[in-house]
Amino acid sequence: MITVNKKLRLHLLLQNGLFVVLLLVLVSMLGYLAFEFRTQWDISQNNRNSLSKASLDVVQKLNGPVMVTVYATHQDPQLGDIRKIISDFIVAYQRIKPDLTLNFIDPIEQPHLAEEAGVRMNGEMVIAFNDRSEHLTTINEQTFTNALMRLARSDQKQLMILSGHGERKLDGIANRDMGDFGKKLTENGFRGEALNLASTMEIPSNTSVLIIASPQTDLMAGEVDILLDYIERGGNLLWLVDQESLYGLLPLAEKLDLTFTPGVVVDPQAKRLRAPITFALGTIYGQHAITEDFDFISVFPFARQIIFNENEKWQGTSLVEVAPEGWVETGELNDAPTFNETDDVAGPVSVAVALKRTIDEREQRIVVVGSGHLLANTYLGNGGNIDFGMNLVNWLAGDEDLITIQPRATIDSQLILKEPALTVMVISFLIVLPLLFLVSGIMIWWHRRRR
């Protein structure tokens, strides 16, 4: 039996003291390392706790500090702690951009500051970058990233959309109009305005992109001359063409060295996916800035073929080819169209072409799409149509750095467990585990008592 004398007691005291000191040093070092080197893993189904690639691309393009000021009270009667909600949201951006700062101002305690900032509601955010600012009243990744995208633009881009001939309207709500696409353009820093050549004898010089969206009546010769002069001077153009007549724009097609074949594209692949056979699916994309890393199916309803004739003036690229197993139907469409070797054109078929040339030491850009339905309100939500449309306009406006995929909605925001699973979890963690610890403790105590 070991006799505990004074020397042994001192030895044990030193030993225990050294252990406590080393333990404290170890805990302190681990705390320091955890503070300096933070590592996280997002194991949610679609990485909903991480920023999307689109947001990462936009944030990395912001060269300079970004300041977010939130005008919010400590507690909102309906939303609760708004400040915590926003702080938890912003931290994902701050991990990527450390110079993105977040400040809070209570609009009740400091009403003059809220009034100077033009704040209208509790929780409103003001994002400032390069002496420009954006106000946000809703918070989610898409709206916040879109605000950053608008701030990243050097200036607001002016879009002019031709009107007066039954064209699709950029602010229209009819099925054939493009109002939903117009809203998306506005969210991303574009300003759209109708252009009637009957009342304006020239296209404004500040036009970033002119849009011709499926006219329904013939343009007068004088109007066509204005368009040709705009192209001759180096203007950028987005031309959406349906399968009907060109409505007086044949001279424009000739100037661009394009050929529009008659007929509508038939795509058997669409029928296999339970879509109308006249909905051509875009799955083959050309090598171009517009389609770089574009990994979505686009839908071109009632599309027509566009052929670019090689020439020395324009450099052309086929953006999208559809119907590799289909054809261009030149006959009457019925429920089960068949390929006619004599008259029809076998796929794949090009339905979108990008042209460019250098003029006055700058690059002129033109895109022609053989389906105006692509961006119509009815079909905009199909596949990646909206992303493809945004990429088109961004490239035409010279903002190819901002060509990106729009942030996606989360698909696993809730964890729903069935009742048996919940019962097992409750029994395991609230009953079984505590009992195991209790029994283990009793057994250890009883074993030590017997020694």
Side-chain angles (χ1 to χ4, degrees):
M1 182 176 179
I2 300 175
T3 302
V4 179
N5 52 27
K6 188 175 181 181
K7 182 177 179 182
L8 180 59
R9 188 177 293 111
L10 180 61
H11 177 76
L12 291 174
L13 182 63
L14 290 174
Q15 187 179 41
N16 292 336
L18 181 61
F19 172 77
V20 171
V21 171
L22 291 176
L23 181 62
L24 291 176
V25 171
L26 178 62
V27 171
S28 300
M29 290 181 62
L30 289 176
Y32 173 78
L33 292 174
F35 182 80
E36 292 292 329
F37 306 98
R38 299 184 180 182
T39 303
Q40 294 180 333
W41 291 272
D42 189 352
I43 59 174
S44 56
Q45 184 178 353
N46 63 338
N47 295 325
R48 68 181 180 88
N49 295 313
S50 304
L51 295 180
S52 65
K53 183 178 181 304
S55 296
L56 293 176
D57 291 343
V58 172
V59 171
Q60 290 167 355
K61 290 182 176 72
L62 295 168
N63 297 318
V66 176
M67 186 171 68
V68 180
T69 305
V70 182
Y71 295 82
T73 56
H74 292 277
Q75 284 292 329
D76 184 85
Q78 294 181 338
L79 301 176
D81 192 350
I82 298 178
R83 295 190 172 197
K84 185 177 186 307
I85 295 173
I86 295 177
S87 297
D88 294 343
F89 171 78
I90 292 295
V91 74
Y93 287 86
Q94 289 178 316
R95 281 198 295 267
I96 308 301
K97 188 172 179 58
D99 57 351
L100 189 154
T101 58
L102 176 63
N103 301 302
F104 290 98
I105 293 177
D106 192 322
I108 296 179
E109 296 177 355
Q110 298 176 297
H112 61 287
L113 293 180
E115 185 177 351
E116 288 177 0
V119 172
R120 296 165 296 175
M121 60 181 294
N122 190 26
E124 188 168 338
M125 290 188 293
V126 179
I127 310 170
F129 173 72
N130 276 354
D131 299 327
R132 301 172 61 198
S133 63
E134 285 278 344
H135 286 240
L136 281 186
T137 56
T138 59
I139 181 170
N140 58 57
E141 182 179 354
Q142 186 161 347
T143 57
F144 193 83
T145 298
N146 282 337
L148 294 179
M149 187 182 296
R150 291 192 292 272
L151 291 172
R153 294 185 188 280
S154 56
D155 53 9
Q156 195 172 36
K157 301 291 185 179
Q158 177 69 59
L159 304 178
M160 303 300 295
I161 182 164
L162 191 65
S163 65
H165 315 87
E167 291 90 347
R168 302 175 192 272
K169 298 177 181 176
L170 206 55
D171 57 353
I173 60 173
N175 290 340
R176 73 177 304 273
D177 288 332
M178 304 191 302
D180 292 339
F181 186 61
K183 292 178 183 175
K184 182 60 66 175
L185 290 171
T186 303
E187 290 176 359
N188 286 273
F190 290 98
R191 183 176 65 245
E193 186 177 343
L195 174 67
N196 192 325
L197 295 179
S199 57
T200 303
M201 295 309 296
E202 64 178 7
I203 298 173
S205 58
N206 64 340
T207 301
S208 297
V209 181
L210 173 67
I211 301 175
I212 303 176
S214 310
Q216 298 298 298
T217 59
D218 288 350
L219 276 74
M220 292 183 288
E223 294 176 303
V224 176
D225 290 342
I226 295 174
L227 292 177
L228 296 179
D229 179 64
Y230 171 77
I231 298 299
E232 189 64 29
R233 291 187 285 109
N236 298 326
L237 172 68
L238 173 60
W239 185 12
L240 304 177
V241 187
D242 289 331
Q243 57 177 317
E244 298 91 0
S245 163
L246 292 180
Y247 294 107
L249 290 174
L250 181 59
L252 178 59
E254 293 174 345
K255 189 172 187 62
L256 301 177
D257 281 308
L258 297 176
T259 301
F260 297 94
T261 59
V264 61
V265 178
V266 170
D267 189 351
Q269 190 176 4
K271 190 174 183 179
R272 287 198 289 270
L273 298 178
R274 299 182 181 180
I277 199 169
T278 51
F279 281 26
L281 304 182
T283 56
I284 307 172
Y285 299 103
Q287 296 293 323
H288 195 274
I290 294 174
T291 53
E292 186 178 357
D293 296 328
F294 190 79
D295 191 26
F296 295 93
I297 296 174
S298 47
V299 182
F300 296 79
F302 310 103
R304 69 184 305 173
Q305 184 184 28
I306 303 175
I307 299 174
F308 170 67
N309 304 305
E310 295 289 342
N311 60 84
E312 296 180 353
K313 185 177 294 185
W314 295 98
Q315 180 182 347
T317 302
S318 175
L319 291 177
V320 188
E321 290 187 349
V322 299
E325 302 173 12
W327 65 93
V328 178
E329 177 63 51
T330 56
E332 290 292 329
L333 279 175
N334 51 43
D335 294 337
T338 56
F339 179 65
N340 185 324
E341 293 184 0
T342 304
D343 300 323
D344 297 339
V345 180
V349 179
S350 175
V351 295
V353 175
L355 309 176
K356 65 179 182 180
R357 66 173 178 174
T358 302
I359 183 168
D360 295 335
E361 298 182 350
R362 67 179 182 84
E363 190 171 84
Q364 180 183 14
R365 299 176 173 184
I366 292 174
V367 172
V368 184
V369 180
S371 172
H373 303 283
L374 172 78
L375 303 177
N377 293 335
T378 302
Y379 305 108
L380 187 65
N382 292 337
N385 284 16
I386 190 169
D387 301 316
F388 184 72
M390 287 304 304
N391 284 3
L392 290 180
V393 178
N394 276 324
W395 181 73
L396 288 169
D399 284 340
E400 57 267 36
D401 289 343
L402 297 179
I403 289 178
T404 184
I405 305 302
Q406 305 302 308
R408 299 290 168 186
T410 56
I411 59 177
D412 59 346
S413 57
Q414 291 183 330
L415 175 62
I416 301 176
L417 297 176
K418 294 182 178 178
E419 188 170 344
L422 286 172
T423 304
V424 170
M425 292 179 65
V426 169
I427 293 175
S428 300
F429 288 98
L430 297 183
I431 299 176
V432 176
L433 279 179
L435 282 177
L436 284 176
F437 288 130
L438 179 61
V439 171
S440 299
I442 293 174
M443 291 180 66
I444 293 172
W445 172 79
W446 181 75
H447 180 71
R448 287 180 176 175
R449 289 272 299 176
R450 292 190 58 190
R451 285 195 305 179

